[in-house]
């Protein structure tokens, strides 16, 4: 009686509305942190080439690029 059938999107919306949605470094498997994302963005803005340093953060090129473009880690300003 306490359960309801919802879509994945409905479940995610419910979690977000009740502060149960985790993102960023709050995710248990996150390799990046807010500070690391800020540092990567600063380095690229200063002219460094992502291909030369993304491995230092322990992630693949695609993960680093998504964080830089704001496709992931959107909450980091």
């Amino acid at each position: 009686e306490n359960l309801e059938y919802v879509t994945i999107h409905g479940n995610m919306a419910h979690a977000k509305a009740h502060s149960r949605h985790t993102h960023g470094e709050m995710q248990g498997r996150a390799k990046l942190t807010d500070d690391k994302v800020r540092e990567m963005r600063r380095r690229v803005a200063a002219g460094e080439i992502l291909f030369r340093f993304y491995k230092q953060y322990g992630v693949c090129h695609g993960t680093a690029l998504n964080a830089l473009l704001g496709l992931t880690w959107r909450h980091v300003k």
Side-chain angles (χ1 to χ4, degrees):
E1 71 185 54
N2 189 27
L3 299 176
E4 66 179 324
Y5 286 99
V6 295
T7 64
I8 292 171
H9 297 291
N11 190 35
M12 291 173 64
H14 181 267
K16 189 173 183 179
H18 292 88
S19 300
R20 291 189 175 106
H21 177 71
T22 58
H23 61 276
E25 57 190 82
M26 299 299 287
Q27 290 271 12
R29 296 178 291 171
K31 291 183 180 180
L32 294 173
T33 64
D34 293 357
D35 289 337
K36 287 180 180 179
V37 171
R38 283 187 200 96
E39 184 178 336
M40 283 194 319
R41 290 176 180 169
R42 180 192 53 76
R43 290 176 73 174
V44 169
E48 287 190 62
I49 299 170
L50 174 64
F51 185 72
R52 296 182 186 232
F53 69 81
Y54 70 89
K55 289 182 182 178
Q56 294 174 353
Y57 296 93
V59 296
C60 70
H61 183 264
T63 299
L65 184 60
N66 286 340
L68 288 171
L69 295 175
L71 299 174
T72 56
W73 296 86
R74 288 184 292 262
H75 66 282
V76 177
K77 304 295 183 221

Coordinates of all heavy atoms in Angstrom, one line a residue:
E1 N 0.8 -1.2 0.0 CA 0.0 0.0 0.0 C 0.9 1.3 0.0 O 0.4 2.3 -0.3 CB -1.0 0.0 1.2 CG -0.2 0.2 2.5 CD -1.2 0.1 3.7 OE1 -1.8 -1.0 3.8 OE2 -1.2 1.0 4.5
N2 N 2.1 1.1 0.3 CA 3.0 2.3 0.3 C 3.8 2.5 -1.0 O 4.6 3.4 -1.1 CB 4.0 2.1 1.5 CG 4.8 3.4 1.7 OD1 4.4 4.5 1.5 ND2 6.0 3.2 2.3
L3 N 3.6 1.6 -1.9 CA 4.3 1.7 -3.2 C 3.4 2.2 -4.3 O 2.2 2.0 -4.3 CB 4.9 0.3 -3.5 CG 5.9 -0.3 -2.5 CD1 6.3 -1.7 -3.0 CD2 7.1 0.6 -2.4
E4 N 4.0 2.7 -5.3 CA 3.3 3.1 -6.5 C 4.2 2.8 -7.8 O 5.4 2.9 -7.7 CB 2.9 4.5 -6.5 CG 4.0 5.5 -6.6 CD 3.5 7.0 -6.6 OE1 2.5 7.3 -7.2 OE2 4.2 7.8 -6.0
Y5 N 3.6 2.5 -8.9 CA 4.3 2.3 -10.1 C 4.5 3.6 -10.8 O 3.6 4.4 -11.0 CB 3.6 1.4 -11.1 CG 3.6 -0.1 -10.6 CD1 2.5 -0.6 -9.9 CD2 4.7 -0.9 -10.9 CE1 2.6 -1.9 -9.5 CE2 4.8 -2.2 -10.4 CZ 3.7 -2.7 -9.7 OH 3.7 -4.0 -9.3
V6 N 5.8 4.0 -11.1 CA 6.1 5.2 -11.8 C 7.2 4.9 -12.8 O 7.9 3.9 -12.7 CB 6.6 6.3 -10.8 CG1 5.5 6.8 -9.9 CG2 7.8 5.9 -10.0
T7 N 7.4 5.8 -13.7 CA 8.5 5.7 -14.7 C 9.8 6.1 -14.0 O 9.8 6.6 -12.9 CB 8.2 6.7 -15.9 OG1 8.3 8.0 -15.4 CG2 6.9 6.4 -16.6
I8 N 10.9 5.8 -14.7 CA 12.2 6.2 -14.2 C 12.2 7.7 -13.9 O 12.7 8.2 -12.9 CB 13.3 5.8 -15.2 CG1 13.4 4.2 -15.2 CG2 14.6 6.4 -14.8 CD1 14.3 3.7 -16.3
H9 N 11.7 8.5 -14.9 CA 11.7 9.9 -14.8 C 10.9 10.4 -13.6 O 11.3 11.3 -12.8 CB 11.2 10.6 -16.0 CG 12.1 10.3 -17.2 ND1 13.4 10.8 -17.3 CD2 12.0 9.6 -18.3 CE1 14.0 10.4 -18.4 NE2 13.1 9.6 -19.0
G10 N 9.8 9.7 -13.4 CA 8.9 10.0 -12.2 C 9.6 9.7 -10.9 O 9.5 10.5 -9.9
N11 N 10.3 8.6 -10.9 CA 11.1 8.2 -9.7 C 12.2 9.2 -9.4 O 12.4 9.6 -8.2 CB 11.7 6.8 -9.8 CG 12.2 6.3 -8.6 OD1 11.7 6.6 -7.5 ND2 13.3 5.5 -8.7
M12 N 12.9 9.7 -10.4 CA 14.0 10.7 -10.3 C 13.4 12.0 -9.8 O 14.0 12.7 -8.9 CB 14.8 10.8 -11.6 CG 15.6 9.6 -11.9 SD 16.4 9.6 -13.5 CE 17.5 11.0 -13.3
A13 N 12.3 12.4 -10.4 CA 11.7 13.7 -9.9 C 11.2 13.6 -8.5 O 11.4 14.6 -7.7 CB 10.5 14.0 -10.8
H14 N 10.7 12.5 -8.1 CA 10.3 12.3 -6.7 C 11.5 12.4 -5.7 O 11.5 13.0 -4.7 CB 9.6 10.9 -6.5 CG 9.1 10.7 -5.1 ND1 9.9 10.0 -4.2 CD2 8.0 11.0 -4.4 CE1 9.3 9.9 -3.0 NE2 8.1 10.6 -3.2
A15 N 12.6 11.7 -6.1 CA 13.9 11.7 -5.3 C 14.4 13.2 -5.2 O 14.8 13.6 -4.1 CB 14.9 10.8 -5.9
K16 N 14.4 13.9 -6.3 CA 14.9 15.3 -6.3 C 14.0 16.2 -5.4 O 14.5 17.0 -4.7 CB 14.9 15.8 -7.7 CG 15.6 17.1 -7.8 CD 15.8 17.5 -9.3 CE 16.6 18.8 -9.4 NZ 16.8 19.2 -10.8
A17 N 12.7 16.0 -5.5 CA 11.7 16.8 -4.7 C 11.9 16.5 -3.2 O 11.6 17.4 -2.4 CB 10.3 16.5 -5.2
H18 N 12.4 15.4 -2.9 CA 12.5 15.0 -1.5 C 14.0 15.0 -1.0 O 14.3 14.3 0.0 CB 11.8 13.7 -1.2 CG 10.3 13.8 -1.3 ND1 9.7 13.6 -2.5 CD2 9.4 14.1 -0.4 CE1 8.4 13.7 -2.3 NE2 8.2 14.1 -1.1
S19 N 14.8 15.7 -1.8 CA 16.3 15.8 -1.4 C 17.0 14.4 -1.3 O 17.8 14.3 -0.5 CB 16.4 16.6 -0.2 OG 15.9 17.9 -0.3
R20 N 16.6 13.5 -2.1 CA 17.2 12.2 -2.1 C 18.1 11.9 -3.4 O 18.6 10.9 -3.6 CB 16.2 11.1 -1.9 CG 15.6 11.1 -0.6 CD 14.7 9.9 -0.4 NE 14.2 9.9 1.0 CZ 13.0 10.2 1.4 NH1 12.1 10.5 0.4 NH2 12.6 10.2 2.6
H21 N 18.1 13.0 -4.2 CA 18.9 12.9 -5.5 C 20.3 13.2 -5.2 O 20.6 14.3 -4.7 CB 18.3 13.8 -6.5 CG 19.0 13.8 -7.8 ND1 19.0 12.7 -8.7 CD2 19.8 14.7 -8.4 CE1 19.7 13.0 -9.7 NE2 20.2 14.2 -9.6
T22 N 21.2 12.3 -5.5 CA 22.7 12.6 -5.3 C 23.3 13.0 -6.6 O 22.9 12.5 -7.7 CB 23.4 11.4 -4.7 OG1 23.3 10.3 -5.6 CG2 22.9 11.1 -3.4
H23 N 24.2 13.9 -6.6 CA 25.0 14.3 -7.8 C 26.4 14.7 -7.4 O 26.7 14.9 -6.2 CB 24.3 15.5 -8.5 CG 24.1 16.7 -7.6 ND1 23.1 16.9 -6.8 CD2 24.9 17.8 -7.5 CE1 23.3 18.0 -6.1 NE2 24.4 18.6 -6.6
G24 N 27.2 14.8 -8.4 CA 28.6 15.2 -8.1 C 29.4 14.2 -7.2 O 29.2 13.0 -7.3
E25 N 30.1 14.8 -6.3 CA 31.0 13.9 -5.5 C 30.1 13.2 -4.4 O 30.7 12.3 -3.7 CB 32.1 14.7 -4.8 CG 31.6 15.9 -4.0 CD 32.8 16.8 -3.6 OE1 33.2 17.6 -4.4 OE2 33.3 16.6 -2.4
M26 N 28.8 13.5 -4.3 CA 28.0 12.8 -3.4 C 27.7 11.4 -3.9 O 27.2 10.5 -3.1 CB 26.7 13.5 -3.1 CG 26.9 14.9 -2.5 SD 27.7 14.9 -0.9 CE 26.3 14.3 0.1
Q27 N 27.9 11.2 -5.2 CA 27.7 9.8 -5.8 C 28.8 8.9 -5.2 O 30.0 9.3 -5.2 CB 27.9 9.9 -7.3 CG 26.7 10.6 -8.0 CD 25.6 9.6 -8.3 OE1 25.6 8.5 -7.8 NE2 24.7 10.0 -9.1
G28 N 28.5 7.8 -4.9 CA 29.5 6.9 -4.3 C 30.6 6.5 -5.2 O 31.7 6.2 -4.8
R29 N 30.4 6.5 -6.5 CA 31.4 6.0 -7.5 C 32.1 7.2 -8.2 O 32.9 6.9 -9.1 CB 30.8 5.1 -8.5 CG 30.2 3.8 -7.9 CD 29.6 3.0 -8.9 NE 28.3 3.6 -9.3 CZ 27.6 3.3 -10.4 NH1 27.9 2.2 -11.1 NH2 26.5 3.9 -10.7
A30 N 31.9 8.4 -7.8 CA 32.5 9.6 -8.5 C 34.0 9.6 -8.3 O 34.5 9.4 -7.2 CB 31.8 10.8 -7.9
K31 N 34.7 9.8 -9.4 CA 36.1 9.9 -9.3 C 36.5 11.3 -9.2 O 37.6 11.7 -8.8 CB 36.8 9.2 -10.6 CG 36.6 7.7 -10.6 CD 37.3 7.2 -11.8 CE 37.2 5.6 -11.8 NZ 37.9 5.1 -12.9
L32 N 35.7 12.2 -9.7 CA 36.0 13.6 -9.6 C 35.3 14.2 -8.4 O 34.5 13.7 -7.8 CB 35.4 14.3 -10.9 CG 36.1 14.0 -12.2 CD1 35.3 14.6 -13.4 CD2 37.5 14.4 -12.2
T33 N 35.8 15.4 -8.0 CA 35.2 16.2 -7.0 C 34.9 17.6 -7.5 O 35.4 17.9 -8.6 CB 36.2 16.4 -5.8 OG1 37.3 17.1 -6.2 CG2 36.6 15.0 -5.2
D34 N 34.1 18.4 -6.8 CA 33.8 19.7 -7.3 C 35.1 20.5 -7.5 O 35.2 21.2 -8.5 CB 32.9 20.4 -6.3 CG 31.5 19.8 -6.1 OD1 31.2 18.9 -6.9 OD2 30.8 20.3 -5.3
D35 N 36.0 20.4 -6.6 CA 37.3 21.1 -6.7 C 38.1 20.7 -7.9 O 38.7 21.5 -8.6 CB 38.1 21.0 -5.4 CG 37.5 21.7 -4.2 OD1 36.8 22.7 -4.4 OD2 37.9 21.3 -3.1
K36 N 38.1 19.4 -8.2 CA 38.9 18.9 -9.4 C 38.2 19.4 -10.6 O 38.9 19.8 -11.6 CB 38.9 17.4 -9.4 CG 39.8 16.8 -8.3 CD 39.8 15.3 -8.4 CE 40.7 14.6 -7.4 NZ 40.7 13.2 -7.5
V37 N 36.9 19.5 -10.7 CA 36.2 20.0 -11.9 C 36.6 21.5 -12.1 O 36.9 21.9 -13.2 CB 34.7 19.7 -11.8 CG1 34.0 20.4 -12.9 CG2 34.4 18.2 -11.8
R38 N 36.5 22.2 -11.0 CA 36.9 23.6 -11.1 C 38.3 23.8 -11.6 O 38.6 24.7 -12.4 CB 36.7 24.3 -9.7 CG 35.3 24.6 -9.3 CD 35.2 25.4 -8.0 NE 33.9 25.3 -7.4 CZ 33.6 24.4 -6.5 NH1 34.5 23.7 -5.9 NH2 32.3 24.4 -6.0
E39 N 39.2 23.0 -11.0 CA 40.6 23.1 -11.4 C 40.8 22.7 -12.9 O 41.5 23.4 -13.6 CB 41.4 22.1 -10.6 CG 42.9 22.2 -10.9 CD 43.7 21.3 -10.0 OE1 43.3 21.0 -8.9 OE2 44.8 21.0 -10.4
M40 N 40.1 21.7 -13.4 CA 40.2 21.3 -14.8 C 39.7 22.5 -15.7 O 40.3 22.8 -16.7 CB 39.4 20.1 -15.1 CG 40.1 18.8 -14.7 SD 39.3 17.3 -15.4 CE 37.6 17.6 -15.3
R41 N 38.6 23.0 -15.3 CA 38.0 24.1 -16.1 C 38.9 25.4 -16.1 O 39.1 26.0 -17.1 CB 36.6 24.5 -15.5 CG 35.6 23.4 -15.8 CD 34.2 23.8 -15.1 NE 33.2 22.7 -15.4 CZ 32.1 22.7 -14.8 NH1 31.7 23.6 -13.9 NH2 31.2 21.7 -15.1
R42 N 39.5 25.6 -14.9 CA 40.5 26.7 -14.9 C 41.7 26.5 -15.8 O 42.1 27.4 -16.5 CB 40.9 26.9 -13.4 CG 41.9 28.1 -13.2 CD 42.6 28.1 -11.9 NE 43.2 26.8 -11.5 CZ 44.4 26.4 -12.0 NH1 45.0 27.1 -12.8 NH2 44.9 25.3 -11.6
R43 N 42.2 25.3 -15.8 CA 43.4 25.0 -16.6 C 43.1 25.1 -18.1 O 43.9 25.6 -18.8 CB 43.9 23.6 -16.3 CG 44.5 23.5 -14.9 CD 44.9 22.1 -14.5 NE 46.0 21.6 -15.3 CZ 46.7 20.5 -15.1 NH1 46.2 19.6 -14.2 NH2 47.7 20.2 -15.8
V44 N 41.9 24.6 -18.5 CA 41.5 24.8 -19.9 C 41.3 26.2 -20.3 O 41.7 26.7 -21.3 CB 40.3 23.9 -20.2 CG1 39.7 24.2 -21.6 CG2 40.6 22.4 -20.1
A45 N 40.7 27.0 -19.4 CA 40.5 28.4 -19.6 C 41.8 29.2 -19.7 O 41.9 30.1 -20.5 CB 39.6 29.0 -18.5
A46 N 42.8 28.6 -19.0 CA 44.1 29.3 -19.1 C 44.9 28.9 -20.3 O 46.1 29.3 -20.5 CB 44.9 28.9 -17.8
G47 N 44.4 28.0 -21.1 CA 45.0 27.6 -22.3 C 45.6 26.2 -22.4 O 46.2 25.8 -23.4
E48 N 45.6 25.5 -21.3 CA 46.1 24.1 -21.3 C 45.2 23.2 -22.2 O 44.0 23.4 -22.3 CB 46.2 23.5 -19.9 CG 47.3 24.1 -19.1 CD 47.5 23.4 -17.8 OE1 47.9 22.2 -17.9 OE2 47.3 24.0 -16.8
I49 N 45.8 22.2 -22.8 CA 45.0 21.3 -23.6 C 44.6 20.1 -22.8 O 45.4 19.4 -22.1 CB 45.9 20.8 -24.8 CG1 46.3 22.0 -25.6 CG2 45.2 19.8 -25.6 CD1 47.4 21.8 -26.7
L50 N 43.3 19.8 -22.8 CA 42.8 18.7 -22.0 C 43.5 17.4 -22.2 O 43.7 16.7 -21.3 CB 41.3 18.6 -22.3 CG 40.5 17.4 -21.6 CD1 40.5 17.6 -20.1 CD2 39.1 17.3 -22.1
F51 N 43.8 17.1 -23.4 CA 44.4 15.8 -23.8 C 45.7 15.6 -23.0 O 46.1 14.5 -22.8 CB 44.7 15.7 -25.3 CG 45.2 14.4 -25.7 CD1 44.4 13.3 -25.7 CD2 46.5 14.3 -26.1 CE1 44.8 12.1 -26.1 CE2 47.0 13.0 -26.5 CZ 46.2 12.0 -26.5
R52 N 46.3 16.6 -22.5 CA 47.6 16.5 -21.9 C 47.5 16.2 -20.4 O 48.5 15.8 -19.7 CB 48.5 17.7 -22.1 CG 48.8 17.9 -23.5 CD 49.7 19.1 -23.7 NE 49.9 19.3 -25.2 CZ 51.0 19.5 -25.8 NH1 52.1 19.4 -25.0 NH2 51.1 19.7 -27.0
F53 N 46.3 16.4 -19.8 CA 46.3 16.3 -18.3 C 45.1 15.5 -17.8 O 45.1 15.3 -16.6 CB 46.4 17.7 -17.6 CG 45.2 18.5 -17.8 CD1 44.1 18.4 -17.0 CD2 45.2 19.6 -18.7 CE1 43.0 19.2 -17.2 CE2 44.1 20.4 -18.9 CZ 43.0 20.2 -18.1
Y54 N 44.1 15.1 -18.5 CA 42.9 14.5 -18.0 C 43.2 13.3 -17.2 O 42.5 12.9 -16.2 CB 41.9 14.3 -19.0 CG 42.2 13.1 -20.0 CD1 41.8 11.8 -19.7 CD2 42.9 13.4 -21.2 CE1 42.2 10.8 -20.6 CE2 43.2 12.4 -22.1 CZ 42.8 11.1 -21.8 OH 43.1 10.1 -22.6
K55 N 44.3 12.5 -17.5 CA 44.6 11.3 -16.8 C 45.0 11.5 -15.4 O 44.9 10.7 -14.5 CB 45.7 10.5 -17.6 CG 45.2 9.9 -18.9 CD 46.3 9.1 -19.6 CE 45.7 8.5 -20.9 NZ 46.8 7.8 -21.6
Q56 N 45.5 12.7 -15.1 CA 45.9 13.1 -13.8 C 44.7 13.0 -12.8 O 44.9 12.9 -11.6 CB 46.5 14.5 -13.7 CG 47.8 14.6 -14.5 CD 48.2 16.1 -14.5 OE1 47.5 17.0 -14.1 NE2 49.4 16.3 -15.1
Y57 N 43.5 13.1 -13.3 CA 42.3 13.1 -12.5 C 41.7 11.7 -12.4 O 40.7 11.6 -11.7 CB 41.3 14.2 -13.0 CG 41.9 15.6 -12.9 CD1 42.5 16.1 -14.0 CD2 41.7 16.3 -11.7 CE1 43.0 17.4 -13.9 CE2 42.2 17.6 -11.7 CZ 42.9 18.1 -12.7 OH 43.4 19.4 -12.6
G58 N 42.3 10.8 -13.0 CA 41.8 9.4 -12.9 C 40.6 9.1 -13.7 O 39.8 8.2 -13.4
V59 N 40.3 9.9 -14.8 CA 39.1 9.7 -15.6 C 39.5 9.6 -17.1 O 40.6 10.0 -17.4 CB 38.1 10.8 -15.4 CG1 37.6 10.8 -13.9 CG2 38.6 12.2 -15.7
C60 N 38.6 9.1 -17.9 CA 38.9 9.1 -19.3 C 38.6 10.4 -19.9 O 38.0 11.3 -19.3 CB 38.0 8.0 -20.0 SG 36.3 8.4 -20.0
H61 N 39.0 10.6 -21.2 CA 38.9 11.8 -21.9 C 37.5 12.3 -22.0 O 37.1 13.4 -21.8 CB 39.5 11.7 -23.3 CG 39.5 13.0 -24.1 ND1 38.5 13.2 -25.0 CD2 40.3 14.0 -24.1 CE1 38.7 14.4 -25.5 NE2 39.8 14.9 -25.0
G62 N 36.5 11.4 -22.3 CA 35.1 11.7 -22.4 C 34.5 12.2 -21.1 O 33.7 13.1 -21.1
T63 N 34.9 11.6 -20.0 CA 34.4 12.0 -18.7 C 34.8 13.4 -18.4 O 34.1 14.3 -17.9 CB 34.8 11.1 -17.6 OG1 34.3 9.8 -17.9 CG2 34.4 11.5 -16.2
A64 N 36.1 13.7 -18.6 CA 36.7 15.0 -18.4 C 36.0 16.1 -19.3 O 35.7 17.2 -18.9 CB 38.2 15.0 -18.6
L65 N 35.9 15.7 -20.6 CA 35.2 16.6 -21.6 C 33.8 17.0 -21.2 O 33.4 18.1 -21.2 CB 35.3 16.0 -23.0 CG 34.8 16.9 -24.1 CD1 35.6 18.2 -24.2 CD2 34.9 16.2 -25.4
N66 N 33.0 15.9 -20.8 CA 31.7 16.2 -20.3 C 31.6 17.1 -19.1 O 30.7 18.0 -19.1 CB 31.0 14.9 -20.0 CG 30.6 14.1 -21.3 OD1 30.5 14.6 -22.4 ND2 30.4 12.8 -21.1
A67 N 32.5 17.0 -18.2 CA 32.6 17.9 -17.0 C 32.9 19.3 -17.5 O 32.3 20.2 -17.0 CB 33.5 17.3 -16.0
L68 N 33.9 19.4 -18.4 CA 34.3 20.7 -18.9 C 33.2 21.4 -19.6 O 33.0 22.6 -19.5 CB 35.5 20.6 -19.8 CG 36.8 20.3 -19.1 CD1 37.9 20.0 -20.1 CD2 37.2 21.4 -18.2
L69 N 32.4 20.7 -20.4 CA 31.3 21.3 -21.2 C 30.1 21.5 -20.4 O 29.1 22.1 -20.9 CB 31.0 20.4 -22.4 CG 32.1 20.2 -23.4 CD1 31.7 19.2 -24.5 CD2 32.4 21.6 -24.1
G70 N 30.0 21.0 -19.1 CA 28.9 21.2 -18.3 C 27.7 20.2 -18.6 O 26.6 20.3 -18.1
L71 N 28.1 19.1 -19.4 CA 27.1 18.1 -19.6 C 26.9 17.2 -18.3 O 25.8 16.7 -18.1 CB 27.5 17.2 -20.8 CG 27.6 17.9 -22.1 CD1 28.2 17.0 -23.2 CD2 26.3 18.5 -22.5
T72 N 27.9 17.2 -17.6 CA 27.9 16.6 -16.2 C 28.5 17.6 -15.3 O 29.1 18.6 -15.7 CB 28.7 15.3 -16.1 OG1 30.1 15.6 -16.5 CG2 28.1 14.2 -17.0
W73 N 28.3 17.5 -14.0 CA 28.8 18.4 -13.0 C 28.3 19.8 -13.3 O 29.0 20.8 -13.1 CB 30.4 18.4 -13.0 CG 30.9 17.1 -12.6 CD1 31.1 16.0 -13.4 CD2 31.2 16.6 -11.3 NE1 31.6 14.9 -12.7 CE2 31.6 15.3 -11.3 CE3 31.2 17.3 -10.0 CZ2 32.0 14.6 -10.2 CZ3 31.6 16.5 -8.9 CH2 32.0 15.2 -9.0
R74 N 27.0 19.9 -13.7 CA 26.4 21.2 -14.0 C 26.3 22.1 -12.7 O 26.2 23.3 -12.8 CB 25.0 21.0 -14.6 CG 25.0 20.5 -16.0 CD 23.6 20.4 -16.5 NE 22.8 19.4 -15.8 CZ 22.6 18.2 -16.3 NH1 23.1 17.8 -17.5 NH2 21.9 17.3 -15.7
H75 N 26.2 21.5 -11.6 CA 26.1 22.2 -10.3 C 27.4 23.0 -9.9 O 27.3 23.9 -9.1 CB 25.7 21.3 -9.2 CG 26.7 20.3 -8.8 ND1 27.0 19.2 -9.6 CD2 27.6 20.3 -7.8 CE1 28.0 18.5 -9.1 NE2 28.4 19.2 -8.0
V76 N 28.5 22.7 -10.6 CA 29.7 23.3 -10.2 C 29.9 24.6 -11.0 O 29.8 24.6 -12.3 CB 31.0 22.4 -10.5 CG1 32.3 23.1 -10.2 CG2 30.8 21.1 -9.7
K77 N 30.0 25.7 -10.4 CA 30.2 27.0 -11.0 C 31.6 27.4 -11.1 O 32.4 27.0 -10.4 CB 29.4 28.1 -10.3 CG 28.0 27.7 -10.1 CD 27.2 27.7 -11.4 CE 25.8 27.4 -11.2 NZ 25.2 26.5 -12.1

